[in-house]
């Protein structure tokens, strides 16, 4: 009898445990209507999770927000890129997730995470009117809709890539010219090597997709239309243009433009730290790197790169050199960097709405974002308040950054929105094989493998 | 005439048995099911967390799923077919095997020698013990940056080679397909000898001194003693290390991810890093990751059982005449 009782108890407990585990993994669909109908509040608490911005920048945003809404307490938690994804899913599933989370357009994220988010279209309509879409630039809203058309996050800001950042102090010391084509890049690297500094730092090891930007830039130099065509299946990765791109990367390694340690690690931390330490003269980073031109954020970035008593250097953007020598120059590519999404299961939707609305749909909030120089403004008509921005060298950097912002808002190509994750992975793998001196394969074979493994994107492609 | 009436010693040969109560044979103490209540919490945790997770992973492996609230699309055995036709999977298995063979061999040889030496009188023995055991309790996350520092292109190894005039041997150890696995293996060897040493050192202390003495009297030298007395007595330890090493190689993740992320070009990929990349990487497919996890589990259990069975002591044959010699 006793055995039977215990067996039943154990079985019941096991079944209960299984049920609890099963229930926690799925989660209920959000009650959209009810949650969206919640009125914004002027008090409460909000938790915000993201892989960007850096914590000091987020704290600056929150400080400005609290000047208008002192009774809403916002807590920001910053994650590394990969950690964000692995932490967010179980947190949202278990109901312990943040009230607001970052959501980017890349790699189908609106579909992956959009199921947890409120549809923000009604809020945008309430705040900005029926013509709310025209208030935002660059097709940012379209990039943050899921495949069913729900607007699952509101754009905080955009970014662009496809250019270099250089340390003007090193160039001056070396007497080098900023490169504009392949030969002048080789010459600049020789001059910089002569003063014992690294030339162009790049971290192509691991699985980070940052090196895909160099591939995209070179491709634009070869043929400005080919990369997006290949990404969307209208061209092939092993077309002559693709083979030429890989050959140029191989030449850059052989001619010393790409450093021999490029495969030692990833762009973050390797390239970032070498550049911020002042050990390398150039790095390929996007608009988000503008923030380090600031007098204060430069110090923080250098300290993070293990520089004691940092003395900021003057960093400037430069177009990617015309490495193919076909006169195509460099075409920037960009898209919305990320948006803010409201967790549909959040108990603090009212306060979250207030924070999200202020950050993404008010000029004050967007002014704050632009002044941090981390993102391009999402809202049209917002420009930096240069009186509130202190650069390392205002006279030199301000005109260059103004030009960069102008060029970055006029991009005609997406950065990763129209490139599938498998294509980005294939690009990284191809770059690694080209740069690895022990891989004995032709660029034709490597390009053929790219074509075989990269899936075509259908995003933004008209039938 | 003397009679024995008091309690008697049980078990000594020839001693009288204790009287039976009431003339009936006493029942042997039975296994009381009441003990179940003590294992219930652990049982529930095991079933609820571990076995549920395993079963759920098996279920998940039959779907394509990007995670979150994305739809789970039934995929049948596609994820398994994809795994077995994925060259990276075979690279990961090959790397696992190479890692296991090299690290296990180095661990056994290094640990046995070190333990043997430590059992003799040696100056500053405790210092050597601390040095060799320290890597065991330092977390891989702490060690990884140091290993990167040592092996990177501008690192210590190349600096030493340069200083020795061996600059022709300098290379990008981490960034080459031919050397990245070597670095991971060396890191594994470095950390494993201390663990093996702990087990072998303790095992050697358990060997009967009479057995060693008898071997010495029979004229056995150090080498003979090691192979004919010490190692056979430590067979259980060696088998345990083999199983532990194989499972470690199968699950290897932390040091690989922190040092090479499985690259370049998947050259240092292991099943653990593949699974993590599929779970947390850019092109995530949790169904595929689950299929890889199930394969890993099957391999781990199978190999462990095979090693156990192969290493069991042979049951002595009783009742048969020994062959004439």
């Amino acid at each position: 009898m006793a055995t039977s009782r215990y067996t039943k108890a154990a079985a019941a407990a096991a079944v209960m445990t299984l049920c609890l585990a099963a229930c926690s993994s799925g989660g209920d669909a959000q009650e959209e209507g009810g949650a969206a109908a919640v009125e914004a509040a002027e008090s409460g608490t909000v938790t915000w999770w993201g892989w960007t911005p850096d914590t000091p920048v987020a704290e600056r945003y929150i400080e400005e927000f609290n000047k208008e809404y002192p009774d809403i307490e916002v807590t920001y938690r910053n994650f590394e890129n990969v950690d964000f994804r692995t932490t967010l899913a179980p947190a949202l599933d278990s109901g312990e997730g943040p009230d607001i989370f970052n959501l980017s357009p890349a790699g189908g994220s609106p579909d992956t995470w959009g199921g947890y988010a409120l549809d923000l279209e009604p809020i945008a309509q309430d705040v900005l009117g029926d013509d709310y879409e025209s208030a935002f630039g660059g097709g940012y809203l379209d990039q943050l809709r899921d495949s069913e058309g729900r607007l699952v996050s509101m754009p905080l800001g955009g970014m662009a890539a496809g250019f270099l950042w250089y340390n003007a102090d090193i160039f001056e010391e070396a007497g080098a010219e900023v490169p504009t084509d392949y030969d002048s890049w080789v010459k600049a690297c020789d001059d910089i090597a002569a003063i014992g500094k690294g030339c162009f730092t790049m971290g192509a090891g691991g699985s980070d997709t940052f090196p895909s930007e160099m591939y995209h830039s070179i491709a634009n130099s070869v043929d400005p239309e080919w990369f997006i065509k290949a990404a969307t299946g209208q061209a092939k990765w092993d077309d002559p243009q693709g083979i030429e791109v890989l050959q140029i990367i191989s030449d850059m390694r052989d001619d010393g433009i790409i450093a021999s340690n490029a495969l030692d690690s990833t762009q973050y931390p390797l390239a970032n730290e070498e550049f911020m330490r002042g050990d390398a003269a150039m790095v390929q980073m996007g608009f988000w790197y503008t923030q380090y031109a600031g007098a204060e954020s430069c110090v923080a970035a250098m300290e993070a790169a293990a520089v004691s008593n940092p003395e900021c250097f003057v960093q400037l953007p430069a177009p990617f050199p015309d490495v193919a020598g076909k006169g195509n120059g460099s075409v920037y590519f960009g898209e919305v960097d990320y948006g803010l999404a409201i967790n549909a299961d959040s108990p603090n939707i009212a306060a979250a709405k207030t924070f999200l609305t202020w950050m993404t749909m008010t000029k004050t909030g967007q002014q704050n974002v632009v002044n941090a120089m981390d993102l391009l403004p999402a809202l049209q008509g917002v420009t930096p308040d240069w009186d509130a921005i202190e650069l390392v060298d205002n006279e030199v950097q301000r005109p260059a950054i103004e030009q960069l912002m102008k060029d970055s808002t006029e991009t005609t190509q997406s950065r990763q929105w129209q490139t599938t994750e498998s294509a980005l992975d294939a690009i990284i793998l191809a770059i690694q094989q080209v740069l690895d001196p022990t891989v004995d394969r032709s660029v034709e074979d490597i390009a053929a493998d790219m074509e075989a493994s990269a899936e075509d994107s259908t995003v933004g492609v008209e039938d | 005439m003397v009679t024995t009436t008091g309690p008697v010693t049980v078990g000594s040969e020839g001693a009288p048995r204790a009287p039976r109560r009431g003339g009936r044979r006493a029942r042997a103490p039975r296994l009381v099911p009441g003990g179940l209540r003590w294992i219930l919490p652990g049982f529930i945790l095991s079933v609820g967390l571990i076995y549920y997770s395993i079963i759920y992973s098996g279920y998940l492996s039959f779907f394509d799923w990007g995670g979150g609230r994305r739809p789970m699309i039934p995929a049948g055995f596609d994820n398994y077919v994809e795994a077995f036709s994925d060259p990276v999977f075979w690279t990961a298995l090959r790397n696992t095997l190479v890692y296991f063979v090299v690290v296990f061999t180095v661990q056994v040889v290094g640990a046995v020698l070190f333990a043997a030496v430590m059992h003799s009188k040696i100056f500053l023995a405790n210092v050597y013990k601390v040095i060799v055991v320290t890597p065991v309790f330092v977390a891989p996350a702490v060690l990884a940056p140091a290993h990167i520092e040592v092996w990177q292109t501008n690192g210590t190894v190349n600096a030493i080679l340069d200083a020795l005039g061996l600059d022709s041997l300098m290379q990008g150890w981490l960034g080459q397909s031919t050397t990245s696995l070597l670095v991971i293996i060396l890191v594994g060897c470095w950390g494993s000898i201390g663990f093996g040493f702990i087990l072998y050192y303790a095992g050697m202390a358990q060997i009967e001194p009479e057995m060693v003495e008898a071997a010495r009297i029979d004229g056995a030298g150090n080498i003979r003693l090691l192979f004919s007395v010490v190692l056979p007595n430590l067979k259980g330890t060696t088998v345990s290390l083999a199983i532990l090493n194989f499972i470690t190689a199968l699950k290897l993740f932390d040091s690989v991810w922190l040092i090479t992320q499985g690259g370049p070009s998947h050259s240092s990929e292991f099943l653990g890093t593949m699974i993590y990349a599929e779970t947390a990487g850019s092109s995530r497919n949790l169904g595929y990751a689950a299929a890889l996890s199930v394969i890993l589990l099957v391999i781990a259990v199978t190999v462990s059982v095979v090693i156990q069975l192969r290493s069991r002591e042979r049951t002595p044959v009783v009742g048969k005449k020994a062959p004439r010699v």
Side-chain angles (χ1 to χ4, degrees):
Chain A
M1 282 296 122
T3 306
S4 167
R5 194 172 74 239
Y6 285 118
T7 307
K8 282 178 184 172
V15 169
M16 192 184 300
T17 310
L18 285 169
C19 286
L20 285 172
C23 292
S24 67
S25 70
D28 298 326
Q30 72 278 17
E31 296 171 22
E32 273 180 39
V38 175
E39 289 294 323
E42 300 217 345
S43 64
T45 58
V46 175
T47 52
W48 168 26
W49 287 9
W51 67 89
T52 186
D54 292 345
T55 302
V57 175
E59 285 174 349
R60 202 186 312 168
Y61 292 164
I62 293 165
E63 192 181 325
E64 292 298 317
F65 170 73
N66 282 147
K67 286 178 182 171
E68 285 191 42
Y69 295 96
D71 296 328
I72 296 182
E73 184 186 347
V74 183
T75 308
Y76 175 70
R77 189 171 169 196
N78 183 263
F79 294 85
E80 286 297 321
N81 290 11
V82 172
D83 295 340
F84 178 75
R85 290 191 289 261
T86 50
T87 311
L88 187 62
L92 291 173
D93 274 330
S94 66
E96 298 294 323
D99 305 309
I100 286 184
F101 57 95
N102 285 8
L103 202 156
S104 83
S109 294
D111 277 333
T112 302
W113 306 110
Y116 296 100
L118 283 185
D119 183 356
L120 300 174
E121 193 150 4
I123 301 175
Q125 280 173 335
D126 279 353
V127 176
L128 300 169
D130 289 341
D131 192 26
Y132 69 93
E133 286 187 269
S134 64
F136 295 94
Y140 288 174
L141 290 186
D142 286 340
Q143 294 165 10
L144 294 173
R145 291 183 191 278
D146 68 11
S147 52
E148 292 173 5
R150 295 170 71 247
L151 183 60
V152 293
S153 71
M154 289 299 294
L156 191 69
M159 50 79 177
F163 49 88
L164 306 176
W165 286 96
Y166 68 94
N167 182 326
D169 297 359
I170 293 180
F171 270 80
E172 188 180 340
E173 186 186 345
E177 296 288 328
V178 178
T180 54
D181 57 22
Y182 192 90
D183 291 339
S184 63
W185 203 348
V186 175
K187 170 75 169 60
C189 285
D190 288 344
D191 293 342
I192 291 162
I195 63 164
K197 294 284 185 180
C199 181
F200 173 66
T201 178
M202 171 181 174
S207 53
D208 261 6
T209 57
F210 286 104
S212 67
E213 282 156 17
M214 189 186 71
Y215 183 97
H216 194 159
S217 300
I218 296 171
N220 282 351
S221 177
V222 171
D223 176 348
E225 294 182 354
W226 176 77
F227 183 91
I228 296 295
K229 280 185 177 175
T232 54
Q234 299 163 62
K236 292 183 176 179
W237 293 107
D238 56 351
D239 283 345
Q241 292 98 322
I243 290 165
E244 189 174 348
V245 172
L246 293 181
Q247 187 57 54
I248 289 171
I249 294 173
S250 176
D251 294 344
M252 287 169 73
R253 180 201 66 191
D254 295 344
D255 292 331
I257 296 174
I258 296 177
S260 58
N261 69 344
L263 294 181
D264 277 1
S265 181
T266 48
Q267 187 84 344
Y268 288 93
L270 176 72
N272 175 57
E273 290 186 354
E274 282 195 350
F275 186 73
M276 293 314 305
R277 279 201 308 264
D279 290 342
M282 284 178 274
V283 67
Q284 177 153 21
M285 292 283 194
F287 186 84
W288 60 90
Y289 232 56
T290 311
Q291 60 183 303
Y292 304 131
E296 281 183 26
S297 47
C298 165
V299 172
M302 292 181 77
E303 283 174 343
V307 179
S308 53
N309 303 318
E311 287 182 29
C312 286
F313 54 86
V314 176
Q315 69 168 57
L316 290 166
F320 196 87
D322 178 16
V323 287
K326 296 182 178 179
N328 292 323
S330 167
V331 181
Y332 292 2
F333 33 89
E335 61 206 16
V336 60
D337 194 4
Y338 66 99
L340 300 183
I342 296 180
N343 177 4
D345 296 331
S346 160
N348 303 310
I349 285 176
K353 271 188 175 180
T354 307
F355 180 66
L356 180 139
T357 302
W358 187 86
M359 288 285 286
T360 63
M361 288 181 261
T362 68
K363 290 216 168 183
T364 325
Q366 282 285 290
Q367 184 70 58
N368 193 27
V369 169
V370 174
N371 286 357
M373 294 193 301
D374 185 32
L375 298 169
L376 295 161
L379 211 55
Q380 302 267 32
V382 179
T383 53
D385 175 8
W386 290 106
D387 292 336
I389 297 171
E390 190 187 349
L391 302 172
V392 177
D393 185 337
N394 277 302
E395 198 177 331
V396 175
Q397 288 172 300
R398 180 174 161 179
I401 292 172
E402 283 181 314
Q403 184 63 44
L404 176 70
M405 294 185 84
K406 181 176 178 296
D407 294 341
S408 296
T409 52
E410 293 172 355
T411 53
T412 54
Q413 294 182 15
S414 69
R415 176 178 171 247
Q416 293 189 345
W417 180 53
Q418 290 179 286
T419 312
T420 60
E421 296 297 348
S422 65
L424 289 168
D425 289 344
I427 291 170
I428 300 308
L429 192 59
I431 291 173
Q432 289 179 350
Q433 291 185 345
V434 170
L435 294 182
D436 185 343
T438 64
V439 170
D440 186 22
R441 301 188 70 204
S442 68
V443 289
E444 286 82 1
D445 288 344
I446 294 171
D449 280 355
M450 278 182 71
E451 176 58 25
S453 62
E455 293 170 41
D456 300 333
S457 173
T458 56
V459 173
V461 180
E462 292 179 9
D463 295 329
Chain B
M1 187 176 157
V2 179
T3 56
T4 53
T5 54
V8 293
T9 308
V10 178
S12 56
E13 205 159 327
R17 289 177 172 236
R20 292 171 182 167
R21 280 185 199 160
R24 295 180 62 188
R25 186 180 173 193
R27 293 176 65 184
R30 65 188 177 91
L31 290 172
V32 184
L36 188 62
R37 78 185 69 160
W38 299 106
I39 67 164
L40 207 55
F43 180 75
I44 290 171
L45 276 176
S46 295
V47 172
L49 294 177
I50 300 169
Y51 288 97
Y52 169 76
S53 301
I54 291 171
I55 292 165
Y56 187 68
S57 289
Y59 168 74
L60 206 57
S61 69
F62 296 106
F63 291 87
D64 275 338
W65 186 38
R69 287 180 179 166
R70 277 191 154 180
M72 292 171 66
I73 301 162
F77 286 93
D78 286 359
N79 286 323
Y80 290 95
V81 173
E82 186 183 343
F84 288 117
S85 55
D86 184 351
V88 179
F89 171 79
W90 293 108
T91 303
L93 274 189
R94 185 206 63 190
N95 289 349
T96 300
L97 198 62
V98 172
Y99 181 94
F100 164 68
V101 170
V102 177
V103 173
F104 176 61
T105 306
V106 170
Q107 182 186 43
V108 169
V109 173
V112 166
L113 288 178
F114 202 80
V117 170
M118 287 296 109
H119 271 288
S120 60
K121 292 194 188 307
I122 185 168
F123 180 63
L124 291 178
N126 286 337
V127 174
Y128 306 137
K129 286 180 197 170
V130 170
I131 289 172
V132 82
V133 169
T134 296
V136 177
F137 54 79
V138 182
V142 176
L143 294 173
H147 286 301
I148 292 171
E149 200 72 33
V150 167
W151 293 101
Q152 65 189 354
T153 306
N154 306 322
T156 315
V157 170
N158 279 346
I160 291 171
L161 290 172
D162 192 30
L164 294 175
L166 300 170
D167 48 335
S168 61
L169 297 177
M170 290 168 61
Q171 51 199 298
W173 300 94
L174 296 171
Q176 294 179 162
S177 303
T178 49
T179 52
S180 59
L181 180 64
L182 175 72
V183 172
I184 298 298
I185 287 173
L186 288 174
V187 170
C189 291
W190 182 76
S192 71
I193 292 178
F195 183 66
F197 162 73
I198 293 171
L199 298 190
Y200 280 122
Y201 186 78
M204 285 180 190
Q206 305 296 316
I207 298 172
E208 298 289 342
E210 292 81 2
M211 199 183 293
V212 177
E213 203 174 321
R216 289 287 190 203
I217 291 169
D218 285 348
N222 285 340
I223 302 295
R224 181 73 177 178
L225 190 68
L226 183 68
F227 283 99
S228 298
V229 177
V230 177
L231 287 181
N233 273 287
L234 296 175
K235 188 179 175 186
T237 303
T238 308
V239 170
S240 300
L241 281 176
I243 294 172
L244 285 173
N245 267 292
F246 192 78
I247 292 172
T248 301
L250 271 177
K251 295 196 307 181
L252 194 63
F253 168 73
D254 42 18
S255 59
V256 184
W257 191 259
L258 292 166
I259 294 172
T260 66
Q261 287 195 2
S265 313
H266 300 297
S267 56
S268 59
E269 202 78 68
F270 283 77
L271 282 176
T273 53
M274 275 188 83
I275 292 167
Y276 185 73
E278 288 296 329
T279 307
S282 48
S283 50
R284 64 207 306 252
N285 181 353
L286 300 189
Y288 187 53
L292 291 171
S293 302
V294 170
I295 294 169
L296 186 154
L297 179 71
V298 170
I299 295 173
V301 171
T302 306
V303 171
S304 299
V305 168
V306 168
I307 293 176
Q308 283 281 16
L309 291 177
R310 298 280 301 171
S311 61
R312 273 202 310 200
E313 294 288 346
R314 302 251 181 244
T315 309
V317 180
V318 181
K320 283 189 178 178
K321 281 186 178 177
R324 287 171 185 268
V325 287

